[in-house]
Amino acid sequence: MIQNSITGPSGRTIPRDLIMGLTSSLVIIVLVVSFGYYKWAVSAANQEFETRTDHLVDEFSRSISLPMYDFETEIIRHIAKATLQAESLVGIVVTVDSTIVFEHIPEKMSNLFEKSKDVVWEDETVGAIKMRFTRKKIKEERRAWMILIGL
């Protein structure tokens, strides 16, 4: 049997080995870059989410500071109900002098986190708020990224 000078005894060729090596290297590089981008995108999404929730808590506390100072419970309730329409916000508790003025706590939900803040009007603490948020949208975005990277 006559063998080709490029073909080795196992039937492997130099071009085939080069193609397999380059393809394997390319697949590994793409996977590493995709994983790094996924981690970066998730981190950026979490940071953006934290920033949005901080802004919402600050805005809500500023919005109800005067009504809390004047103890206008109806206005506080209306502002709180309107604020509950915000994405990812699922619960609010507003207290004035240890009296609960407004409370909307969701039934059993998982993956909630809470942010609290004292409400101040003219350098005087007039009450406190607790706002509960869900990370449901972040999880959906992660799932979408995994599907996109998986393709």
Side-chain angles (χ1 to χ4, degrees), residues 19-129:
I19 289 172
M20 291 302 293
L22 289 173
T23 303
S24 300
S25 299
L26 183 63
V27 167
I28 290 170
I29 290 170
V30 167
L31 287 175
V32 167
V33 168
S34 296
F35 181 73
Y37 182 73
Y38 170 77
K39 294 298 269 180
W40 173 82
V42 167
S43 175
N46 282 333
Q47 183 62 37
E48 179 186 345
F49 182 72
E50 288 291 326
T51 302
R52 278 188 281 142
T53 57
D54 288 340
H55 286 297
L56 186 61
V57 170
D58 290 340
E59 182 181 323
F60 181 64
S61 69
R62 283 192 309 268
S63 298
I64 65 168
S65 60
L66 179 59
M68 286 179 84
Y69 180 75
D70 292 338
F71 205 74
E72 296 175 6
T73 57
E74 279 306 308
I75 294 174
I76 293 170
R77 287 185 185 115
H78 286 294
I79 294 171
K81 285 179 184 177
T83 304
L84 275 169
Q85 302 302 313
E87 186 178 51
S88 300
L89 178 64
V90 294
I92 297 176
V93 177
V94 179
T95 56
V96 178
D97 297 328
S98 70
T99 302
I100 295 175
V101 176
F102 181 84
E103 181 176 36
H104 179 271
I105 306 282
E107 294 298 320
K108 297 195 177 208
M109 290 185 75
S110 61
N111 205 17
L112 294 180
F113 70 97
E114 183 175 280
K115 292 194 176 197
S116 302
K117 184 172 183 172
D118 289 334
V119 180
V120 178
W121 175 255
E122 295 183 355
D123 298 328
E124 180 183 340
T125 301
V126 292
I129 58 172

